[in-house]
Structures are given as structure tokens and as C-alpha cells.
Amino acid sequence: PWVYAELTPDLEVRPCCNYSALGPWDPASHSLRDIRDSAPFHSLRKNLRSGRLSPTCAACHMKPKVPVETMARQFPSTDSLELTELRIDMTSRCNLRCVYCAVSQPGYQGKDIATGNFDAIVSLASAQGRDFPVWLNGHGETTFHDRWTELAGRLLDVGSALHMTTNLARAFDDGELACLSRFRMIQVSLDTVDSGLLRETRRKMQLPTVVRNLSEIHAHAMSQGLSGPLLTLGCVVHDLSYPGLPDLARFAVEQGFSGVTFWDLVKYPDLPGMTNVHPVRDLHREQLVEALASLEEAEQILLQGGVAVQVAGAFADSWRERLQSDQADG
């Protein structure tokens, strides 16, 4: 929350994608810095510096905990610093209905960012200078917004380094492919290369569509004399996906991904009549041992293939700790 901010579709400001909004941004009357230096942000930073974590921070599945001394040394005050990254939630709607996602929960309502806010967003990003990292995604699929290429194109034109997480699960027209080819980085959300499991858990997602889009983005970049976006892959690990992690790793190497991030499952209530998934940490010991071995094999395949690996929140450490605890208990 010192150097990062996220704008929701309603232009509310969040300190991270896992935290509630701490204040609205009205471009006509306030700067984003005003909101980032408001009392709620100062309170959050104070708590982080002291180690008095909110329930949200204490249960964070994205970042590992660090010693209080490290946090206080890195951030000597509760004042905001210059932004190093901005995330814009263009939409909280999605073209998929993954069984483990909040979008599939009853009563969920997605929302698009208003096109009338595009000018303010472009001005904000432009003021940060060229190559400033902007992520165009939040809890939805950015490319599901009817005018996503308009905002993306304007941000690219002022020199922003655009990043996005996307499922690449639908057909794109030439204009969309050309726009994607200018991005700095694209992270593809994909948990398995098993077509049956993909269909059951991600619903409407087909691997050939993803592969075709990757190829066409590369082709459009080549036609424009561009190197194309850096490609990474984001994988949610759950009780049904862990056996296939080595196969997913081989796919990432074959497709030329530069990095893979493994994410722990955030569990929502089961959906009736669906193939529901569950956290690996809740499995029996024997399955947990298998899952850890599968993840470690996948990591080795990736590293040997020159692909960087990140385990978000170091969640595998909690698996190891549980196994050690079970062993100590007999």
C-alpha cells in the first residue's frame, strides 16, 4: 500500500487486489495521492509496520509474511511513496464460470468501468511517465469489456507498460490481437492441460483456443516488428489439478512461457451439481505427500526449461509444515 494502488470499476481505491476499497477517487476534486494519504491508508500502513495485521492481511494467500523489522526498515513512515505499479479493474464480469471463482457464486454481480473515466485514467498513467507498469485486470476478464481496446490503446500510446492476466479463452478479432501484441506482459490463467478437467472446472474453456491465441498474438507482433509480450502462466493449485502439474509445466516450456506462478486455492462455497474443487492443504496426508511431489516435479521441469517459478505466498511451506507436524504427532 505504499507504492501500489488499484482502481475498481467504480474508481474506488484499494491497497491490493485482496483488500476492500479504502476510499473513492473523484478525479474532478481529488488526486489519487490524496486518497492514498487518507486516514484509512495510514492506518493500514501503521498496522503493517507494527505487525498488527488485519484479518485480511493475516490470511493473505499472495504474499509471505516478513519480520516487522524488515517492513519498518523498508518503509520508515506511514506516508505514501511514489507509485511503482497501478492496477485498473476494467470489469468484474467474466466470460467463464470457473467452479472455484467468486464470479460463479449466487448473487454475484459484475460491473464495467465507465468509459467516461477513461480520460482521467489515461492522464493519471501518463503523469507517471513512460514504461510505468499498468495492470488492466482485477477480478474479471478485461477483454470482456466492450471497449477494452480503446483504453488499452490509449495507455499504450502514452507509453504505459501494459500487463494483463487473461484466460485467452475466446476468439479475438484482428484489432484485439494487434492490441495484445503491444502489451509488455500477458499472464495466462490456466490450471490444467487435461481437456476433461478443464471443461469441468473452468467451463467453456478449451486449450486449443488458448494455443491459437498465443500463436496469433505472436504473429501480429512479428508483423509489426515487435518482440511481443512476455508470456507467463498463472495456475491455481487444488485437489483435482495437482496430479497434472508436471504436464502443465511441460506445456509452459513448449509454448515458450518465461514464468509460472502457482496460486493456492481460495475456497468459496461448493456449487450444486458441479465438479467442485478443494484446497490441497485439507487433503489426507498421503494425498498431501503426492501433491508436494507433483509440485516439486513441475518446478524442476520448469527450471530445467529456463522458466522462472513463483509459489505465491509460499503456500507449499505450509504443506511441508503440516506433514512435519503430522509426523511429530505420530
Side-chain angles (χ1 to χ4, degrees):
W2 278 268
V3 296
Y4 171 91
E6 178 172 340
L7 297 177
T8 73
D10 290 321
L11 290 195
E12 291 194 301
V13 187
R14 305 201 303 186
C16 78
C17 61
N18 201 34
Y19 214 92
S20 300
L22 296 182
W25 177 45
D26 180 0
S29 57
H30 297 287
S31 70
L32 187 63
R33 193 66 175 263
D34 292 335
I35 309 303
R36 294 175 58 227
D37 274 330
S38 62
F41 271 90
H42 276 286
S43 178
L44 173 59
R45 296 182 192 122
K46 180 179 179 181
N47 289 340
L48 287 171
R49 293 183 74 252
S50 66
R52 294 192 294 271
L53 301 181
S54 68
T56 299
C57 291
C60 182
H61 67 288
M62 304 180 72
K63 300 289 185 181
K65 292 182 175 64
V66 299
V68 170
E69 296 78 11
T70 301
M71 183 69 74
R73 183 169 57 252
Q74 185 173 1
F75 302 107
S77 79
T78 62
D79 293 333
S80 67
L81 301 175
E82 291 299 320
L83 280 175
T84 60
E85 186 178 347
L86 177 69
R87 186 180 295 266
I88 301 164
D89 296 4
M90 282 205 68
T91 181
S92 54
R93 298 186 302 122
C94 189
N95 56 314
L96 299 182
R97 290 296 180 272
C98 302
V99 296
Y100 54 74
C101 183
V103 176
S104 295
Q105 290 294 303
Y108 181 89
Q109 293 184 338
K111 191 168 188 177
D112 289 351
I113 200 166
T115 55
N117 292 321
F118 284 7
D119 287 346
I121 291 171
V122 173
S123 295
L124 172 64
S126 179
Q128 312 305 315
R130 296 191 64 83
D131 294 322
F132 178 73
V134 178
W135 283 81
L136 279 186
N137 63 274
H139 208 112
E141 169 61 35
T142 297
T143 66
F144 209 46
H145 192 293
D146 290 341
R147 295 173 65 178
W148 76 270
T149 55
E150 177 184 339
L151 179 58
R154 292 179 62 184
L155 290 170
L156 288 165
D157 289 343
V158 298
S160 298
L162 290 195
H163 300 62
M164 181 169 65
T165 298
T166 173
N167 52 51
L168 289 187
R170 68 175 186 82
F172 296 112
D173 61 34
D174 284 344
E176 291 175 306
L177 291 166
C179 184
L180 288 168
S181 70
R182 297 174 63 195
F183 271 60
R184 183 67 54 86
M185 195 272 277
I186 294 175
Q187 180 166 98
V188 181
S189 175
L190 183 67
D191 312 325
T192 179
V193 292
D194 182 309
S195 59
L197 182 60
L198 194 64
R199 183 171 56 253
E200 291 179 11
T201 58
R202 300 295 299 267
R203 294 191 280 177
K204 300 181 182 179
M205 189 170 186
Q206 298 182 352
L207 190 61
T209 302
V210 176
V211 174
R212 183 175 64 251
N213 283 329
L214 290 172
S215 176
E216 291 183 348
I217 291 169
H218 177 70
H220 273 73
M222 291 283 289
S223 70
Q224 299 176 75
L226 303 173
S227 58
L230 197 68
L231 296 174
T232 65
L233 190 150
C235 166
V236 175
V237 181
H238 51 72
D239 63 332
L240 299 184
S241 69
Y242 80 75
L245 293 180
D247 288 337
L248 183 69
R250 295 184 187 95
F251 171 83
V253 173
E254 292 167 359
Q255 292 294 320
F257 285 87
S258 63
V260 172
T261 299
F262 294 104
W263 299 94
D264 200 6
L265 175 71
V266 176
K267 180 61 180 170
Y268 290 97
D270 283 349
L271 300 173
M274 294 291 113
T275 301
N276 292 288
V277 299
H278 302 89
V280 170
R281 61 182 177 275
D282 295 339
L283 298 177
H284 294 298
R285 174 182 171 82
E286 294 77 12
Q287 292 174 291
L288 190 56
V289 170
E290 292 176 354
L292 189 56
S294 185
L295 177 61
E296 290 174 345
E297 181 183 352
E299 290 183 87
Q300 286 302 311
I301 292 170
L302 292 167
L303 293 174
Q304 290 172 6
V307 182
V309 179
Q310 180 181 7
V311 179
F315 65 81
D317 289 346
S318 67
W319 297 0
R320 298 184 181 94
E321 290 169 2
R322 191 195 134 188
L323 289 174
Q324 292 172 356
S325 176
D326 289 352
Q327 186 175 20
D329 292 341

